[in-house]
Amino acid sequence: MITLITGATSGIGEQLAIKYAQLGDTVIACGRNSDKLAELAKYDNIQACKFDATNLQDIKESTIGFPHFDRVILNAGNCEYIDDARNFDSALFERVINVNLLSMGYCLEALLPKINSGGQLVLVSSSVTYLALPRSEAYGASKAGVSYLAKSLAVDLNDVDVTLVHPGFVKTPLTNKNDFPMPMAVTAEKAADYMIKGIQKRRKDVHFPYRFTLILKVLRILPLPIWLKIAKGLAR
């Protein structure tokens, strides 16, 4: 199996690359960090592929030597928060949408035609899409877009299976910057285990940790005014 993974130089993506290589896949590890890519390339069946996921031409040129894939996991992303919604930061909003959502479109144009018939496309969203949360205007909107994109692709693609991933809190260098509690957070290694298990079963929706995501799914049944009161309390 040939598996391409974006965002492979840190966190979940790095763990996915290592674990898929250990399972015997030929892994194309993609990212922008040359040093981390060089470390991953020390594994016999990991090949480094450096590109900026927000640059369509860069993606196309960097992957031209890879004619086909069995599995593509679009995992690259970033997280920034809107600290003052009244004074909305449109530049921050643009950055997050560009990295988390528009990059998906660029990767799809460059890589989707190379996925073998019967192959698999995996898009990594977030459990933030289940509920409106404080300061998440940019991050939540970008991930909600990813979730809708994946579901729409699942309707239109007939020869490629689509798996949508909704992680809860995961301990990574990115989330280490968070200044708020992360209930039921799991390690990047555990998150990769959850994902691989669901991906191998070709589940349409992979979410974890299950107790946390189940709580969020129950809470989203609440009428919006009630949830808004709860969320405003969390924001204080």
Side-chain angles (χ1 to χ4, degrees):
M1 295 281 286
I2 301 175
T3 297
L4 180 142
I5 304 168
T6 67
T9 57
S10 181
I12 299 174
E14 182 179 6
Q15 290 298 318
L16 285 171
I18 294 170
K19 287 179 179 291
Y20 270 116
Q22 291 171 342
L23 289 171
D25 282 19
T26 296
V27 176
I28 315 301
C30 308
R32 294 182 299 175
N33 187 323
S34 298
D35 291 338
K36 288 304 292 280
L37 287 174
E39 288 181 22
L40 287 169
K42 292 177 182 178
Y43 289 82
D44 290 339
N45 47 337
I46 296 182
Q47 299 180 49
C49 182
K50 186 175 184 293
F51 63 73
D52 181 349
T54 65
N55 185 317
L56 175 59
Q57 195 60 32
D58 194 18
I59 302 168
K60 287 185 174 181
E61 290 177 358
S62 299
T63 59
I64 197 168
F66 304 105
H68 62 90
F69 312 104
D70 299 297
R71 183 187 296 115
V72 168
I73 302 176
L74 301 183
N75 164 76
N78 194 16
C79 184
E80 294 185 71
Y81 299 104
I82 301 287
D83 291 323
D84 183 359
R86 194 72 165 81
N87 295 290
F88 199 87
D89 188 340
S90 63
L92 183 156
F93 188 81
E94 181 180 8
R95 283 196 304 272
V96 174
I97 294 293
N98 192 35
V99 173
N100 290 355
L101 182 57
L102 291 181
S103 68
M104 292 280 185
Y106 302 142
C107 287
L108 288 170
E109 179 174 333
L111 305 175
L112 189 53
K114 296 187 175 189
I115 299 179
N116 292 328
S117 181
Q120 192 170 14
L121 172 67
V122 181
L123 279 71
V124 180
S125 179
S126 168
S127 60
V128 72
T129 62
Y130 296 149
L131 289 165
L133 296 174
R135 301 164 59 201
S136 296
E137 289 83 0
Y139 182 70
S142 70
K143 290 300 188 177
V146 172
S147 294
Y148 193 95
L149 172 63
K151 292 173 184 177
S152 187
L153 286 168
V155 173
D156 286 330
L157 294 176
N158 296 317
D159 63 339
V160 174
D161 286 336
V162 178
T163 293
L164 173 60
V165 182
H166 288 114
F169 289 114
V170 180
K171 298 173 186 176
T172 68
L174 183 63
T175 61
N176 285 342
K177 298 183 294 183
N178 288 347
D179 57 0
F180 53 83
M182 299 190 295
M184 304 185 203
V186 299
T187 64
E189 184 176 3
K190 184 64 175 177
D193 288 338
Y194 277 122
M195 286 179 60
I196 290 171
K197 182 179 178 180
I199 291 168
Q200 287 180 328
K201 292 183 177 180
R202 294 190 174 238
R203 289 176 177 164
K204 299 302 182 185
D205 180 21
V206 176
H207 56 92
F208 60 86
Y210 301 121
R211 190 156 59 97
F212 178 71
T213 52
L214 179 61
I215 290 171
L216 294 184
K217 288 186 175 187
V218 171
L219 287 173
R220 72 177 176 181
I221 298 173
L222 293 172
L224 182 58
I226 294 176
W227 172 247
L228 289 178
K229 289 182 180 180
I230 297 173
K232 285 179 182 294
L234 294 174
R236 292 193 184 100

